[in-house]
Amino acid sequence: MHHSKSASCFHTPALGKEESQSTKVLTLKVMDTRVVIKATSFIILTIISVPANLVVCCAFLHSYLIEAKLLTADIILCHLAFANLMVAFTRSIPQTMAALGYLNLFDDVGCKVTILCFRAFRGLSISLTCLLCVYQAVAISPATSLLASLKMRIPQYLLYIILFLYLLYYFSSITSVLNAVSSLFNNTIPPYTLNLEYCFVLYKDYSSYISMGFGIMSRDLVFIVLMTIMSGYILILLYQHGQKVKNIRSSDNSQKGGRAETKASRAVVILVILYVVFFGIDNIIWLYSLTILRVAPLISDIRVFFATLYTSACPIVVITTNPKVQRKLKLMKMKGEVQPTDSSTSTV
């Protein structure tokens, strides 16, 4: 994301033909290297993000079709995977195409819709991660805690909570993308423009740009703080549970239940840590961009990379830690191995 305050020109001293040509060659090599690294990075993100999130969504949807029921955490994870999938479609894929040289992907309406969906689903990604963290903290909290009253209320009102989050992020993102366009007049970037390479978002003045950025950051920071507090609470409960297990021998069933809750809680904490790290890097770079006249393309590329990295990291954590998803994958693998043998025996 480029923050352009002026179309500045740079003047260099007169150089000889050989020096001028060598300078141009060096500049082209640096640009080519950056473009190759950028394109490769976003291709890798897309290759991981799209199939992995599809696997998570399909696993939970398949469970729902067969069992006609999903656990509260499973519903949240399914919506989270869908949000991450949409972030990949509306940011990672266009960014990959732009890095490969395909810049005119959308018209003005397409730019507005794409940026609106990206901002809405990126916001949903963080809020659903927060909701998952809060629910997991509530689920493992003792009956005497203040959170005990939420154990029944969150599952009861879950769909209303998720619907509220969808509406919140869509309506709060509409005004910020009204000035999104697909191209600029005379190919010059005016002041206070967000350059996404495949689209541009124009702001009338510096205060509009600042207020937009701080508004989004403050909104996301509320969820970051809440999930950080809940993650700390989960870690405390896990530590207390570990101390009890050492001193008290539980039955096999309770041990299995405890192990399942512990694994789920650790997975949630991992997701929160990843999001906090990526969110921190993203916003540190954005704050840095406010202090300089023109952001270097490499710095901007790093920010966009970390802004979309969670869409690839999240489904990997879910696939490697969620028993239900793992069972579905094993079932699919077994079916794939059985079908060829059946067809071969039938032809003999």
Side-chain angles (χ1 to χ4, degrees):
M1 188 178 289
H2 300 282
H3 171 214
S4 174
K5 296 181 182 177
S6 65
S8 56
C9 298
F10 299 95
H11 300 280
T12 57
L15 299 174
K17 288 185 178 180
E18 294 183 358
E19 293 183 39
S20 178
Q21 289 178 353
S22 61
T23 303
K24 289 181 180 179
V25 171
L26 181 60
T27 303
L28 288 174
K29 285 184 178 180
V30 172
M31 289 180 64
D32 290 342
T33 303
R34 185 183 70 83
V35 170
V36 170
I37 294 174
K38 178 181 178 180
T40 304
S41 301
F42 281 105
I43 288 173
I44 292 173
L45 282 184
T46 304
I47 291 174
I48 295 174
S49 178
V50 173
N53 283 296
L54 280 174
V55 165
V56 176
C57 285
C58 292
F60 288 124
L61 289 175
H62 185 262
S63 295
Y64 179 75
L65 291 175
I66 292 178
E67 302 169 9
K69 183 180 179 182
L70 280 179
L71 299 176
T72 301
D74 295 341
I75 296 174
I76 299 173
L77 283 172
C78 188
H79 281 275
L80 178 58
F82 175 70
N84 287 332
L85 184 64
M86 293 306 297
V87 170
F89 281 135
T90 57
R91 190 58 181 268
S92 297
I93 292 178
Q95 205 75 49
T96 301
M97 298 298 290
L100 294 174
Y102 299 95
L103 300 180
N104 299 320
L105 298 175
F106 310 103
D107 56 10
D108 289 352
V109 175
C111 280
K112 288 178 171 60
V113 173
T114 302
I115 296 173
L116 172 64
C117 290
F118 164 71
R119 290 188 176 175
F121 282 107
R122 185 175 181 269
L124 277 167
S125 181
I126 182 174
S127 60
L128 290 171
T129 303
C130 181
L131 178 61
L132 179 66
C133 183
V134 171
Y135 173 73
Q136 192 62 38
V138 169
I140 66 174
S141 63
T144 56
S145 70
L146 297 175
L147 298 176
S149 61
L150 298 176
K151 287 189 178 183
M152 296 299 295
R153 292 183 180 180
I154 291 180
Q156 183 180 359
Y157 297 104
L158 179 63
L159 295 181
Y160 296 103
I161 295 172
I162 294 176
L163 178 61
F164 169 76
L165 292 175
Y166 272 86
L167 295 176
L168 170 67
Y169 278 99
Y170 262 103
F171 283 109
S172 63
S173 302
I174 287 176
T175 56
S176 60
V177 299
L178 293 178
N179 295 323
V181 295
S182 60
S183 60
L184 296 173
F185 183 71
N186 290 334
N187 292 326
T188 58
I189 301 178
Y192 319 116
T193 299
L194 296 181
N195 180 6
L196 306 176
E197 295 187 350
Y198 56 90
C199 287
F200 301 87
V201 183
L202 311 178
Y203 293 92
K204 60 181 180 179
D205 51 33
Y206 186 65
S207 61
S208 299
Y209 175 82
I210 291 292
S211 60
M212 179 278 302
F214 274 109
I216 295 175
M217 187 177 71
S218 300
R219 181 191 63 191
D220 293 346
L221 191 60
V222 172
F223 290 103
I224 287 288
V225 172
L226 180 58
M227 72 171 70
T228 302
I229 294 173
M230 289 295 125
S231 296
Y233 179 65
I234 289 174
L235 290 175
I236 293 173
L237 292 178
L238 291 179
Y239 174 77
Q240 293 175 349
H241 176 72
Q243 294 299 313
K244 290 180 181 179
V245 169
K246 288 181 180 179
N247 299 325
I248 301 174
R249 289 187 176 182
S250 304
S251 62
D252 292 339
N253 292 332
S254 62
Q255 283 182 346
K256 289 180 180 179
R259 290 195 198 104
E261 288 184 351
T262 299
K263 288 181 179 180
S265 300
R266 287 175 178 170
V268 170
V269 172
I270 291 172
L271 289 177
V272 171
I273 292 173
L274 289 174
Y275 206 107
V276 170
V277 171
F278 300 156
F279 174 86
I281 295 175
D282 179 7
N283 285 275
I284 287 172
I285 295 175
W286 181 77
L287 291 173
Y288 164 76
S289 70
L290 301 180
T291 64
I292 58 178
L293 184 65
R294 188 179 293 274
V295 180
L298 178 60
I299 299 297
S300 188
D301 294 343
I302 292 173
R303 184 191 174 189
V304 175
F305 178 81
F306 278 99
T308 54
L309 183 56
Y310 186 73
T311 62
S312 299
C314 177
I316 292 175
V317 174
V318 175
I319 290 171
T320 55
T321 59
N322 190 279
K324 186 170 292 186
V325 176
Q326 291 174 351
R327 284 197 300 270
K328 296 299 178 183
L329 289 175
K330 288 180 181 178
L331 185 62
M332 292 171 59
K333 185 177 180 181
M334 290 174 59
K335 286 183 177 180
E337 292 175 350
V338 170
Q339 286 178 355
T341 58
D342 289 346
S343 61
S344 61
T345 54
S346 62
T347 57
V348 174

